[in-house]
Amino acid sequence: MFRPYEEAITFVFAQEQYVEYAGGGNKYLYGTKLSEKASIDQWLEVQTRNFNQPSSELVLSLAFGNPKKSRQEEAQIKQNVSKLNKVLDMYERWLGESLYLAGVEFTLTDTSHLPNTQFLVSATDRGKLVTLMKNVWRWWAAVSGQESRKKVVARQNSPPPPSA
C-alpha cells in the first residue's frame, strides 16, 4: 500500500523523468525563488485535495469503464462532475488573473494536471468541463501546447522499439 509520502516521491521522480526526456527541462518547473516554490507547493496541494479525486474517477469511469453504466455509476459520475466543476470554477477565477496556476511561468503544477485533463478533454464526453471555461481553456491550450508535452505524447503514441 502506498503511503502519501511514497506517492509524492514517485510523482516527483516521474516529473523529473518527463523533464529529462522532454529536452533538458525548464528552469521554472520547480520555481526559482522561494515565493515561486511556495506557490507551486500550494497549487500541488490544491490539486491533490480537490482536482485529482473527481478527475481520476471520471477518467477511469468514462474513458476506461464499461459503456453501460448502472444507476449507481451514473450517480457517482454526476457527483464527480459537480466536484470537478467547483474546482474548475476556482481555477477559472484564478486563471483570470494569472497565465498559469502558479504564476507567469509553466511549472510542475501545470504538468501535474496533464494526464487527467488530457483524458477528460480527448477521451470522454465531459471535455466541456474544460473547454467552456474561457480562462481554463486558455490555460489548457497553453499547457497542452508545450513542446515538451508534444514530445512525450508523440513518444507515447509511437510503437515500442523492437526487442533485442
Side-chain angles (χ1 to χ4, degrees):
M1 179 173 139
F2 259 161
R3 291 181 177 86
Y5 67 88
E6 291 170 334
E7 199 169 305
I9 291 168
T10 302
F11 175 76
V12 169
F13 175 76
Q15 292 298 324
E16 288 171 352
Q17 296 304 303
Y18 173 91
V19 170
E20 183 178 318
Y21 170 75
N26 167 351
K27 68 180 181 177
Y28 300 106
L29 195 66
Y30 299 108
T32 57
K33 301 175 187 165
L34 192 55
S35 61
E36 293 169 351
K37 292 175 190 287
S39 182
I40 291 166
D41 286 345
Q42 181 179 20
W43 276 103
L44 288 171
E45 187 67 22
V46 167
Q47 179 192 4
T48 300
R49 292 180 182 265
N50 301 289
F51 180 85
N52 285 351
Q53 182 269 332
S55 65
S56 294
E57 287 189 21
L58 283 171
V59 166
L60 290 173
S61 180
L62 297 170
F64 302 107
N66 185 345
K68 294 184 179 185
K69 308 286 186 225
S70 69
R71 278 188 233 157
Q72 183 179 5
E73 289 170 318
E74 289 293 345
Q76 190 69 35
I77 289 170
K78 188 176 180 178
Q79 181 181 23
N80 284 316
V81 165
S82 176
K83 286 179 184 178
L84 189 56
N85 239 341
K86 289 176 185 172
V87 175
L88 292 175
D89 282 342
M90 178 186 64
Y91 283 27
E92 178 70 11
R93 287 188 301 276
W94 179 257
L95 290 166
E97 300 175 18
S98 181
L99 187 57
Y100 294 102
L101 288 173
V104 296
E105 298 293 340
F106 177 72
T107 68
L108 180 62
T109 299
D110 304 299
T111 66
S112 65
H113 285 77
L114 285 168
N116 285 354
T117 308
Q118 176 64 42
F119 278 113
L120 280 172
V121 170
S122 65
T124 77
D125 61 354
R126 299 308 197 286
K128 289 180 181 179
L129 290 166
V130 173
T131 62
L132 290 179
M133 294 188 174
K134 182 180 95 174
N135 297 315
V136 171
W137 179 242
R138 178 205 36 84
W139 165 78
W140 174 245
V143 169
S144 62
Q146 293 286 320
E147 197 58 41
S148 57
R149 180 193 166 273
K150 290 178 186 177
K151 288 180 183 179
V152 171
V153 169
R155 184 177 181 197
Q156 288 174 331
N157 292 333
S158 64
S163 299

